[in-house]
Amino acid sequence: MSGKPGKAIPGAVIAVQSALTREFEGLIDTADVTHPDPGERRRKFLSRALAALVARDRAACDTADAAELVIDGRDDFGIDAIAVAAGEPRLWLIQSKWSDRGEAGLNSGEALKTLEGLRLIDQHEFDRFNERLPALAERIRAVLGDANRRITLSVVLMGSQQPSQEVRRKFDDAVKSFNE
């Protein structure tokens, strides 16, 4: 893995990259990634694989099924994967960011986009999303139709920085609004 001259790549990043590649190589759909830089295509794969890893954990499914939960791409409204729990009315909407330097962050605009995705899903506006979401639509509808549903927004960053106070405030405000 290459990085900018003069800065060492953190060992934890290398370890996570190796694990994600080992687990998800050939399973994560990247056909829509047309960037000419192979490094950018690799980073997009790693971001999607990171989302799939969290989805696999939350949905208690296998690796291939977790890869199918990734909806990242154009018209994803900041939602990179959607994990649906088996046997309970529970959704996890996952936003992931990869950084080769272990410095991934989430800015205010990205947070607002993700909250818009949450709103669209809550309002069953699945047709606004890309072609990957319809495969999950019936499972999502089943959860949303249950009065005991729980929806968790998970932000997964390849880095150690906490989101800014502004970003946390946006998420806190959304929690209050959705839980009223």
Side-chain angles (χ1 to χ4, degrees):
M1 180 160 91
S2 64
K4 292 180 184 174
K7 273 193 136 179
I9 297 168
V13 173
I14 294 169
V16 172
Q17 175 185 295
S18 295
L20 292 172
T21 301
R22 184 175 53 255
E23 291 289 326
F24 292 102
E25 187 82 57
L27 298 175
I28 299 289
D29 183 2
T30 57
D32 64 313
V33 181
T34 58
H35 199 286
D37 178 8
E40 282 301 314
R41 289 194 303 270
R42 180 186 55 75
R43 282 185 284 281
K44 181 57 83 172
F45 161 78
L46 291 167
S47 181
R48 290 178 181 182
L50 191 59
L53 180 69
V54 173
R56 182 181 73 182
D57 179 63
R58 300 302 185 258
C61 62
D62 67 25
T63 302
D65 287 340
E68 295 297 318
L69 300 175
V70 174
I71 68 164
D72 179 53
R74 175 169 281 165
D75 297 327
D76 67 8
F77 292 94
I79 309 294
D80 295 329
I82 301 175
V84 183
E88 64 177 302
R90 183 94 195 255
L91 288 178
W92 289 270
L93 308 179
I94 302 161
Q95 164 59 262
S96 63
K97 297 288 182 195
W98 178 263
S99 166
D100 288 340
R101 297 248 164 262
E103 298 170 349
L106 187 74
N107 66 38
S108 182
E110 293 164 331
L112 289 173
K113 184 178 177 183
T114 302
L115 292 170
E116 174 70 1
L118 168 60
R119 185 191 65 76
L120 290 171
I121 287 172
D122 185 58
Q123 295 177 356
H124 297 242
E125 293 187 41
F126 307 132
D127 60 324
R128 302 273 307 272
F129 285 83
N130 63 36
E131 68 283 352
R132 292 183 176 125
L133 187 108
L136 303 171
E138 287 308 311
R139 293 167 59 193
I140 295 168
R141 277 189 189 95
V143 170
L144 294 176
D146 192 307
N148 295 315
R149 71 184 169 270
R150 291 188 64 204
I151 302 171
T152 302
L153 185 59
S154 297
V155 177
V156 185
L157 305 173
M158 185 62 228
S160 59
Q161 291 182 0
Q162 293 293 318
S164 71
Q165 183 64 32
E166 179 183 1
V167 168
R168 287 192 306 252
R169 190 174 304 117
K170 288 182 185 326
F171 286 129
D172 289 343
D173 290 348
V175 167
K176 289 176 190 170
S177 175
F178 276 94
N179 288 326
E180 285 180 346

